[in-house]
Amino acid sequence: MKLDARIPDGPIDTKWERHCFELKLINPANKRKFRVIVVGTGLAGASAAASLAELGYQVDAFCFQDSPRRAHSIAAQGGINAAKNYQGDGDSIYRLFYDTVKGGDFRAREANVYRLAQVSVNIIDQCVAQGVPFAREYGGYLDNRSFGGAQVSRTFYARGQTGQQLLLGAYQALARQVGNKKVRMHRRCEMLDLVLVDGHAKGIITRDLITGEISRHAADAVILATGGYGNAFFLSTNAKGCNVTAAYRAYKKGAAFANPCYTQIHPTCIPVAGDHQSKLTLMSESLRNDGRIWVPKQKGDRRAAGDIPAQDRDYYLERKYPSFGNLAPRDIASRAAKEVCDEGRGVGPRGLGVYLDFAESIQRLGSHVIEERYGNLFEMYNRITGEDPYASPMRIFPAVHYTMGGLWVDYNLMSNLPGLFVLGEANFSDHGANRLGASALMQGLADGYFVVPYTIGHYLAGQRPAAVSTEHAEFARAEEETRQRISTFLSLKGSRTADSFHRELGAVLWDHCGMSRSASGLKEALRRIPALRQEFWENLRVPGSGADLNQSLEKAGRVADFMEFAELLCHDALTREESCGGHFREEYQTSEGEAQRDDANFTHVSAWEFKGLESPPEEHREPLIFENVPLAVRSYK
């Protein structure tokens, strides 16, 4: 396997512009001859499908929900970053680039991050033109707020539902192309395998989730925009349907999987309430603008929050990181919350929580201002917990959220498999070891609206349109493998559900590869996961048939992939003998408990090649070179 990132030469601020000029072009009449498959219709997928159809390509878009409007992109509530500098507070494209590289703990490609900062300014204009109702100041200008990891206000927002509003903008652009018959929309349809012909991605195998029909779909290129793998941990902020299957199928067909150990723990989630829970709820990071985070100073102080005077409170983020305070990056804020809870100073019934307190902001600004900014988030918290955050502090605790790892892609967002492009959270490219808040929406729309529409044409210009049909032998082989897998699931007559196995797997991952990792813990996980996987295949029970709606069958397939992927995740975490961003190895920390990188040995991307279940994956390394943001100790003090 050869990893060629295809990063253009020259100054970083002109790389993308020059690269676009050097890319091969396809004339408009010829674009109509090419077909592109887009799997996933969240922000990245919907924007890509709409943009490609607008350019003239034929597009098949696949959505496993009943509508693209239900994509998990709606859960990104707080905002979207862009280097507009509307506040006049010193922001710039370079500062956004710098903050993102630093926030990712110097484990991201400079060229990709700078391009992301460049096109961020175009995203806002695009979305405003689509009618996205961003918040505005009194004079009518777009408003901004702050987010973690930055000292400027660059986050555009629509109350606490930014992701939903942006998705509606992308969806209406997609719906327009569906109406124009430029996009064929396949709803309630799940990708179960990737089809390669002569090493190039030329199609997919799908299952209709209503009828159970297995289908072949051929195209000239395939785009995966299928999100992250955070649900491997079972309890996460992700929608229950989020899974790793599409990316993992590509990995087993030869696509490199990069940095899977980089999983983000979000500091602002509603704590676990009981063993019955199947997911966790994210409270937007935007709340940290006006909320102050604290715990009691004394261990075991069980007084109600309102009974604890200011002198008995520890505003620990403000104390430890005075320059950034409550806006410290997510990985740092999460570990700080774990630290105070481990000391016995956590709040709530289980002692696994910290306070997010708005009393001071309500007194200073008035409850009506807080309601305008965060009203729907406060309502959501009240409905879930039965507590009124206007009257008493919220309780929050870290939880698995975004995943920075993903399929390896080059500068063109193409994987090492020619013709397979990967967008948004499904790729690894832009965030390094930690994603700054409000950057997920930015990356998804940048990839879909402003990157892949240019770069996919360069690949297609070297291909003959419609060169492969679904009658090719590789389609027949992939379909047969899919049918055999489904048949195997349905033949199992054990006593456990896929959900019970998933919960057990998630507990192993959280305990040994969660907020902190150690060599001994990771080795224990790598010992337990294969045994659990063996029991899965011996004692799983999947009721029903494959010829109709069968959510137990869907779940079984996704959990089977999580079982295998979990080993890859732990293997990567064990191999990376340093602490950086969301990957915190207990053996590698400073005397103050901060992450300790090893730049001499680990300034690289780890891209893993599948070698079979009985053999460990093979690591390939892409060196990371920092010419514009020199390597430095990451400090937010």
Side-chain angles (χ1 to χ4, degrees):
M1 181 184 292
K2 182 181 179 182
L3 300 179
D4 181 3
R6 297 183 174 87
I7 299 172
D9 295 326
I12 196 165
D13 58 343
T14 61
K15 283 182 187 293
W16 176 235
E17 181 180 2
R18 188 173 61 258
H19 186 66
C20 288
F21 177 75
E22 293 171 350
L23 290 171
K24 296 177 183 176
L25 300 178
I26 304 174
N27 81 55
N30 286 340
K31 285 176 183 173
R32 294 192 290 270
K33 302 176 183 178
F34 288 98
R35 181 169 296 280
V36 178
I37 284 174
V38 179
V39 185
T41 50
L43 276 180
S47 58
S51 299
L52 292 172
E54 185 73 39
L55 288 172
Y57 296 105
Q58 302 176 64
V59 179
D60 281 290
F62 293 82
C63 168
F64 74 1
Q65 293 101 346
D66 55 353
S67 167
R69 290 174 296 175
R70 294 177 63 84
H72 187 59
S73 299
I74 67 168
Q77 304 153 324
I80 177 172
N81 288 330
K84 287 284 197 179
N85 194 32
Y86 283 172
Q87 302 297 313
D89 55 0
D91 201 10
S92 64
I93 288 172
Y94 185 86
R95 189 175 295 278
L96 175 53
F97 159 66
Y98 174 87
D99 286 345
T100 306
V101 171
K102 177 185 175 183
D105 218 351
F106 299 91
R107 291 296 178 261
R109 269 196 213 130
E110 280 194 338
N112 287 67
V113 177
Y114 195 89
R115 176 177 63 189
L116 178 65
Q118 282 179 302
V119 303
S120 70
V121 297
N122 300 327
I123 294 170
I124 303 303
D125 298 339
Q126 170 94 359
C127 295
V128 169
Q130 290 174 334
V132 173
F134 286 120
R136 293 179 181 268
E137 296 176 336
Y138 179 77
Y141 293 104
L142 295 182
D143 197 11
N144 293 115
R145 58 189 177 199
S146 301
F147 252 67
Q151 292 177 303
V152 297
S153 294
R154 63 162 68 101
T155 303
F156 295 79
Y157 65 98
R159 296 188 73 188
Q161 50 186 250
T162 313
Q164 180 175 355
Q165 297 301 330
L166 291 172
L167 185 63
L168 289 173
Y171 173 71
Q172 67 184 9
L174 175 60
R176 176 173 177 268
Q177 297 303 329
V178 173
N180 289 339
K181 302 190 184 306
K182 298 286 189 67
V183 174
R184 293 191 306 202
M185 194 72 217
H186 305 264
R187 295 178 175 83
R188 300 305 302 271
C189 196
E190 183 172 23
M191 170 186 163
L192 295 182
D193 209 352
L194 176 71
V195 180
L196 301 181
V197 177
D198 297 327
H200 289 241
K202 292 298 180 183
I204 61 174
I205 304 297
T206 66
R207 178 177 181 270
D208 187 301
L209 297 180
I210 302 298
T211 67
E213 180 184 3
I214 306 298
S215 302
R216 310 174 187 181
H217 302 272
D220 300 293
V222 175
I223 293 174
L224 297 186
T226 50
Y229 48 85
N231 271 352
F233 291 81
F234 188 75
L235 286 178
S236 82
T237 67
N238 289 264
K240 285 296 291 178
C242 296
N243 61 81
V244 77
T245 290
Y248 195 72
R249 297 282 122 215
Y251 166 69
K252 294 185 78 169
K253 285 295 180 75
F257 210 114
N259 300 334
C261 74
Y262 291 162
T263 52
Q264 181 165 79
I265 311 297
H266 197 293
T268 316
C269 303
I270 298 179
V272 175
D275 295 335
H276 63 282
Q277 278 188 252
S278 61
K279 77 174 300 296
L280 296 173
T281 302
L282 170 70
M283 298 306 297
S284 169
E285 183 180 326
S286 61
L287 295 169
R288 292 201 279 155
N289 278 282
D290 290 303
R292 298 181 70 190
I293 295 173
W294 63 275
V295 293
K297 286 184 177 180
Q298 297 300 318
K299 176 180 177 180
D301 188 339
R302 295 304 178 204
R303 288 178 290 176
D307 295 334
I308 301 177
Q311 64 267 25
D312 291 340
R313 300 179 178 185
D314 180 13
Y315 294 91
Y316 58 89
L317 288 177
E318 298 172 32
R319 170 174 56 82
K320 295 181 69 173
Y321 309 103
S323 293
F324 283 74
N326 296 300
L327 293 177
R330 291 175 175 179
D331 57 324
I332 289 175
S334 294
R335 285 197 295 274
K338 180 180 185 296
E339 180 182 313
V340 296
C341 290
D342 288 346
E343 292 171 358
R345 297 193 287 142
V347 301
R350 297 186 169 205
L352 293 176
V354 300
Y355 286 129
L356 179 59
D357 195 343
F358 287 84
E360 184 178 301
S361 294
I362 290 174
Q363 184 178 10
R364 174 169 48 90
L365 300 171
S367 59
H368 66 287
V369 173
I370 298 300
E371 184 176 3
E372 287 176 359
R373 293 177 179 177
Y374 313 110
N376 60 312
L377 298 174
F378 276 48
E379 180 184 358
M380 181 171 68
Y381 182 87
N382 176 253
R383 289 188 177 186
I384 291 173
T385 66
E387 301 171 7
D388 180 5
Y390 291 102
S392 60
M394 292 182 180
R395 288 179 294 109
I396 57 171
F397 192 69
V400 172
H401 181 51
Y402 191 89
T403 53
M404 286 75 65
L407 292 181
W408 183 91
V409 292
D410 62 16
Y411 190 69
N412 291 335
L413 303 185
M414 188 168 73
S415 75
N416 58 295
L417 297 180
L420 178 65
F421 292 79
V422 190
L423 313 185
E425 191 178 359
N427 75 34
F428 87 102
S429 65
D430 289 3
H431 305 297
N434 174 64
R435 179 177 69 79
L436 293 183
S439 288
L441 301 179
M442 177 174 61
Q443 186 207 351
L445 292 180
D447 289 355
Y449 280 139
F450 297 109
V451 180
V452 83
Y454 287 92
T455 61
I456 199 170
H458 180 75
Y459 167 76
L460 293 174
Q463 303 296 305
R464 184 165 58 87
V468 176
S469 77
T470 55
E471 300 304 311
H472 195 283
E474 291 298 332
F475 279 88
R477 181 180 295 108
E479 180 183 338
E480 180 58 27
E481 290 173 355
T482 298
R483 291 185 182 277
Q484 285 293 334
R485 185 176 174 84
I486 291 172
S487 178
T488 300
F489 283 131
L490 295 171
S491 69
L492 297 173
K493 302 300 179 184
S495 60
R496 292 185 61 178
T497 65
D499 220 47
S500 73
F501 281 106
H502 191 187
R503 186 182 292 272
E504 186 173 346
L505 174 68
V508 171
L509 286 179
W510 179 249
D511 289 343
H512 300 299
C513 196
M515 212 179 315
S516 64
R517 299 99 185 260
S518 67
S520 59
L522 290 166
K523 289 176 182 176
E524 173 66 12
L526 289 169
R527 183 187 68 80
R528 292 177 60 182
I529 292 170
L532 183 62
R533 187 174 72 243
Q534 181 177 348
E535 184 187 354
F536 174 86
W537 287 106
E538 293 173 353
N539 199 25
L540 176 68
R541 184 175 187 85
V542 180
S545 75
D548 53 14
L549 175 65
N550 188 340
Q551 292 184 312
S552 295
L553 177 60
E554 296 171 34
K555 181 74 174 180
R558 295 166 190 172
V559 174
D561 290 327
F562 279 139
M563 285 283 181
E564 296 181 16
F565 172 75
E567 277 194 77
L568 175 64
L569 192 160
C570 292
H571 193 87
D572 184 41
L574 182 62
T575 303
R576 186 166 286 274
E577 297 178 335
E578 66 165 352
S579 290
C580 57
H583 169 66
F584 188 78
R585 283 284 296 269
E586 295 170 5
E587 305 94 326
Y588 307 102
Q589 56 181 304
T590 67
S591 59
E592 297 178 329
E594 303 291 350
Q596 191 170 55
R597 296 197 319 264
D598 181 353
D599 292 336
N601 296 301
F602 292 97
T603 309
H604 61 254
V605 176
S606 291
W608 297 94
E609 180 182 2
F610 181 68
K611 289 294 184 180
L613 291 179
E614 304 305 318
S615 302
E618 181 179 351
E619 183 186 19
H620 302 270
R621 294 184 174 184
E622 177 199 336
L624 293 173
I625 299 172
F626 294 90
E627 299 175 329
N628 299 276
V629 182
L631 288 165
V633 175
R634 182 170 173 242
S635 174
Y636 290 90
K637 295 183 178 182

